[in-house]
């Protein structure tokens, strides 16, 4: 039985596990656009930041999912998908829900 994949925590940087490949920014953008479309968020866009303490953010006022360029490049595809889906849930429920019950049901 294998260990679960590492998670991105604000207090540390994740390193890709042996056998996994890190994402590049082009692949991360393409993956995020695909997931946005799949969830009906066609008007939303993808942005990258220099953040080193959070992997992603949802910016409702700009209709943007923001991914950390430094962290994405050391994350596996599965970790990027998990991060994007977390932010997609925020986009779907709106800015008033943070991580409340409404958000948890969507996530």
């Amino acid at each position: 039985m294998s260990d679960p994949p590492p998670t991105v925590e604000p207090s540390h940087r994740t390193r890709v596990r042996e056998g996994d490949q890190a994402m590049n920014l082009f692949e991360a953008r393409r993956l995020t656009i695909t997931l946005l479309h799949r969830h009906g968020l066609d008007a939303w866009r993808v942005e990258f930041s220099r953040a080193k303490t959070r992997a992603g953010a949802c910016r409702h006022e700009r209709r943007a999912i923001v991914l950390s360029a430094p962290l994405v490049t050391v994350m596996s595809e599965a970790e990027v998908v998990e991060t994007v889906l977390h932010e997609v849930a925020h986009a779907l429920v709106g800015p008033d829900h943070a991580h409340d019950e409404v958000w948890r049901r969507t996530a």
Side-chain angles (χ1 to χ4, degrees), residues 3 9 12 17 27 32 40 56 73 101 106-107:
D3 293 333
E9 297 291 335
H12 73 280
R17 292 185 336 172
E27 291 168 343
T32 304
T73 59
E101 185 59 33
T106 303

Side-chain angles (χ1 to χ4, degrees), residues 35-96:
L35 291 170
L36 286 169
H37 289 303
R38 188 175 296 161
H39 290 87
L41 298 169
D42 299 319
W44 285 63
R45 62 187 181 171
V46 184
E47 298 176 358
F48 290 99
S49 72
R50 294 184 205 147
K52 294 180 182 171
T53 60
R54 70 171 179 273
C58 177
R59 299 289 182 235
H60 287 85
E61 70 282 359
R62 297 194 313 248
R63 289 189 177 191
I65 299 298
V66 183
L67 299 174
S68 161
L71 293 179
V72 164
T73 59
V74 297
M75 293 167 64
S76 69
E77 181 176 344
E79 291 171 316
V80 174
V81 167
E82 183 178 332
T83 299
V84 171
L85 290 176
H86 178 105
E87 302 310 334
V88 163
H90 283 296
L92 291 170
V93 301
D96 298 325

